[in-house]
Amino acid sequence: MGKAHGRDHRHRRAWWQALTLRRHDDRGQITAFVVTLIAGLLAFGGLILDGGLALATKINALGQAQEAARAGAQAVDLAAYRAHGTVRLEPDQARRLATDYLQAAGATGTVTATEESVTVTVTDVQSARLLTLVGVDEFRVTASGSAEPEPGLPPPS
């Protein structure tokens, strides 16, 4: 009986050592999990924050492009309108009016004008806040607006 009890004791002791050793081997695994989880949450937060800022910049650029195009569409060729009732633009004046609007708004863009319409493309850059942690430094957004002259009052008789 003494021998069986001794083996039982050694078996329990070996089991206890293996259990304690295994417990010590697990140390640090929770740290890796937490670091990965926090990195994922920061990236997700960056998408929300920086994506929202980029969207707001895009909406602002779109508004500036549309307003600049409307400003350019005010350059109606009055001589043609008075003589024939033809509504058309003076392209050079339309470009100048749209460009002046962009400068006053502090926006950067390109303006093209024909006798029929004015098209303005605004480009802006939004700096990233959180996504710089994963290598995204900025978002470049582009928006376009176009306008055509509309006849107002009927031409004089």
Side-chain angles (χ1 to χ4, degrees):
M1 238 189 182
K3 287 186 180 183
H5 181 22
R7 272 189 246 144
D8 217 18
H9 181 63
R10 281 192 302 262
H11 178 68
R12 275 193 236 150
R13 186 172 182 180
W15 178 80
W16 181 253
Q17 285 176 343
L19 182 64
T20 6
L21 184 61
R22 189 178 310 139
R23 189 174 63 203
H24 291 297
D25 288 344
D26 289 344
R27 273 193 275 166
Q29 287 185 359
I30 192 72
T31 304
F33 174 75
V34 170
V35 167
T36 304
L37 181 67
I38 288 174
L41 288 174
L42 282 174
F44 185 68
L47 286 174
I48 292 171
L49 174 68
D50 292 333
L53 290 172
L55 182 61
T57 301
K58 172 90 173 179
I59 291 169
N60 187 46
L62 179 62
Q64 290 172 335
Q66 290 173 338
E67 288 300 318
R70 286 186 196 111
Q74 301 299 312
V76 174
D77 183 350
L78 293 177
Y81 182 67
R82 288 182 181 140
H84 311 291
T86 305
V87 179
R88 67 179 181 209
L89 294 175
E90 292 181 2
D92 291 335
Q93 184 184 4
R95 275 190 292 277
R96 192 182 81 251
L97 288 173
T99 302
D100 289 349
Y101 183 90
L102 287 178
Q103 287 177 350
T108 304
T110 59
V111 178
T112 57
T114 64
E115 289 184 346
E116 291 82 32
S117 68
V118 180
T119 302
V120 179
T121 302
V122 173
T123 303
D124 202 355
V125 176
Q126 173 63 47
S127 298
R129 306 269 194 261
L130 284 178
L131 288 180
T132 55
L133 299 172
V134 293
V136 178
D137 294 327
E138 64 185 22
F139 295 93
R140 185 171 302 276
V141 297
T142 303
S144 296
S146 188
E148 300 172 354
E150 291 291 329
L153 299 172
S157 313

